[in-house]
Amino acid sequence: MSNIKIAVIGLGYVGLPLARLLATKYSTVGFDKNSKRVETLMAGHDTTLEVADDLLQDAINNHGFICTTDIEQIRGCNFYVVAVPTPVDKNNAADLKPLYAASETVGKVISKGDIVVYESTVYPGVTEDECIPVVEKASGLKYNKDFFAGYSPERINPGDKVHTVEKIVKITSGSTPQVADIIDGVYNSVLLNGTHKAPSIKVAEAAKVIENSQRDINIAFVNELSKIFNLMGIDTMDVLEAASTKWNFIKMNPGLVGGHCISVDPYYLAQCAQRLGYNPEIILAGRRMNDGMGAYVANQTIKLMLKKGVQVLGSKIIIMGFTFKENCPDVRNTRVIDIYHALTEYNADIFVYDPWADPAIVKKEYGIDITNTLPNDKFDAAIVAVGHRQFRQLEIDFDKLLNPTHVIYDVKAILPRNIVDGRL
C-alpha cells in the first residue's frame, strides 16, 4: 500500500496520542463524535493531559493533523484505526456498542483495498466475528477480498510520561500475511522500540487481554495479603519490602483497582471462557477481591475512628483523590466511588477533594460533588485514596485540616507512618 492516509476513530486517551504520533509521518485525520473534544483539540489543548500542548500544536501547525466530527473528512483515507472505549455494563458484561458504532462509521467510508486496524481491548474473536461483519454490512464490501483488517492492542498508561506510545513495543497483526506486513511497517515507522508481529489477530487480542488480567490477579493476591497481615498486626509494606529482596519475587502494592483496563479486561476474558463452557475461577476471584477493596477501606476507617473515640454519626470525612490513579485526570471506573458509597451508610458528611479531576465530569458520571480546592474546614478523618504528587509532597497541613482527635487512612502508603492510623 502506497500513499498511506490514516484516520483514527476515537480521540481519547488512546486515540489522540497515537494519531499525533502517526501525523509526524503520515497524513492523519482524527475523528470523534464529541464536538467539544474536537474543538478543544483543534485549539491546541488536550484535556486528558496525555499529549502536551506543544506536541499537539506542532502536529496541527507543521504536520497538517486535523481533528473532525465530519465523516466526509475521513472518506479519502485508506488506513483506519479504531481506538474507542470497550467498557463493561452494570452486570460486568462486555459492552461492544462503541465498537459497533465505530465499525459502522468505518464501513460508511471504507473503499476497496483499504485496511482497518482495531486497538480497543477485546476478547479473542471480537475483531473478526463482531466488528468485521458490521463493516461488511455498512460498506457492501467483502472481508479479505475488498478490504482487510488487523489488530494492534493499545498499551497506553494514563499519566505515564515514561512509557509513552512512541517508546513502547507494539503488538501488530493482520488478516493476511501481506496485510500483517503492511500494518507492522506502519507502526514500526513511528516507534522507537519496534513491534512484535503476532501470527494472527486472535493471538494479538488474547495477548492484550491477559496482560491486564495478570496484573489484576497479582494485585488481588497482595490485597488479600494486606487483609491477612492487618489482622496479624503486621505492616504489609514491610513484608513486601522484605520479600522483594528475592530475585524472582514480583513486587506489587495493594490498592484500589480501577480505570479502563485492569478492572475491565478480566471480565472480557472471563465472558469469553464462559461462552466456551469454562468457569475461570482465578480470574473472577481476583475481580471479587479487588472490587471489594473500596468498601474495605471505608470500613477500616470507621473501625479506627471508633477505637479512637471519634463520633462516626454526623462526622466529617474528607476523601483525598478521586481519579482512578495518581497524577492524571482520568476518572473512568474509579473505585474511590466505592469508598464514598460505603461511608454514606454511616451517615457521615463526606467531602471529596481532588486537584486533578474535573468536577463537572464527576458530577455527570457519578452524581456526586467534588472540589479542586482544599477546604478550610476541620475534619474527623481523612482517607488518602490516590497518590497524587500534591499529596506525596506533603503539601497538606493535616494539623490545620483535621480535628485534634482524628484518623488518617493512607490507601497508597505515601505518608509518613508516624502520622497515619491505618493503611493497606
Side-chain angles (χ1 to χ4, degrees), residues 267-286:
Y267 287 121
Y268 274 64
L269 184 57
Q271 180 178 327
C272 180
Q274 289 167 335
R275 285 180 175 178
L276 297 172
Y278 180 80
N279 185 49
E281 297 179 11
I282 294 176
I283 294 171
L284 292 178

Side-chain angles (χ1 to χ4, degrees), residues 209-229:
V209 79
I210 71 165
E211 290 173 15
N212 291 324
S213 297
Q214 180 188 65
R215 185 168 174 80
D216 189 48
I217 291 167
N218 284 340
I219 296 174
F221 172 61
V222 180
N223 276 337
E224 185 163 61
L225 292 180
S226 177
K227 291 183 176 181
I228 295 170
F229 294 145

Side-chain angles (χ1 to χ4, degrees), residues 170-197:
K170 203 90 160 62
I171 297 173
T172 66
S173 62
S175 55
T176 70
Q178 295 77 18
V179 168
D181 287 340
I182 293 172
I183 294 170
D184 192 68
V186 169
Y187 281 101
N188 240 320
S189 67
V190 294
L191 298 174
L192 298 176
N193 293 311
T195 61
H196 173 87
K197 187 167 61 174

Side-chain angles (χ1 to χ4, degrees), residues 90-277:
K90 62 181 181 180
N91 298 314
N92 293 321
D95 180 3
L96 300 180
K97 290 193 291 292
L99 271 179
Y100 292 147
S103 297
E104 185 174 7
T105 296
V106 171
K108 291 177 180 177
V109 295
I110 199 169
S111 300
K112 286 189 176 182
D114 291 356
I115 295 173
V116 53
V117 180
Y118 288 85
E119 290 230 354
S120 306
T121 302
V122 294
Y123 54 81
V126 167
T127 297
E128 293 173 289
D129 299 339
E130 299 288 341
C131 298
I132 294 303
V134 176
V135 178
E136 286 184 314
K137 182 178 180 181
S139 66
L141 302 177
K142 292 298 181 182
Y143 177 50
N144 275 345
K145 177 183 178 184
D146 300 319
F147 75 96
F148 306 89
Y151 184 77
S152 180
E154 60 91 1
R155 281 176 168 169
I156 294 294
N157 184 23
D160 189 339
K161 302 308 178 185
V162 176
H163 304 97
T164 52
V165 63
E166 65 268 24
K167 297 177 183 177
I168 62 175
V169 175
K170 203 90 160 62
I171 297 173
T172 66
S173 62
S175 55
T176 70
Q178 295 77 18
V179 168
D181 287 340
I182 293 172
I183 294 170
D184 192 68
V186 169
Y187 281 101
N188 240 320
S189 67
V190 294
L191 298 174
L192 298 176
N193 293 311
T195 61
H196 173 87
K197 187 167 61 174
S200 70
I201 288 175
K202 285 187 173 64
V203 167
E205 291 170 324
K208 169 57 181 177
V209 79
I210 71 165
E211 290 173 15
N212 291 324
S213 297
Q214 180 188 65
R215 185 168 174 80
D216 189 48
I217 291 167
N218 284 340
I219 296 174
F221 172 61
V222 180
N223 276 337
E224 185 163 61
L225 292 180
S226 177
K227 291 183 176 181
I228 295 170
F229 294 145
N230 178 61
L231 293 172
M232 294 179 174
I234 301 173
D235 191 295
T236 304
M237 300 307 293
D238 285 343
V239 177
L240 293 174
E241 287 295 328
S244 63
T245 59
K246 190 179 183 210
W247 62 91
N248 62 351
F249 181 79
I250 301 173
K251 185 182 178 183
M252 307 286 286
N253 291 339
L256 305 175
V257 183
H260 66 297
C261 286
I262 300 178
S263 62
V264 173
D265 297 354
Y267 287 121
Y268 274 64
L269 184 57
Q271 180 178 327
C272 180
Q274 289 167 335
R275 285 180 175 178
L276 297 172

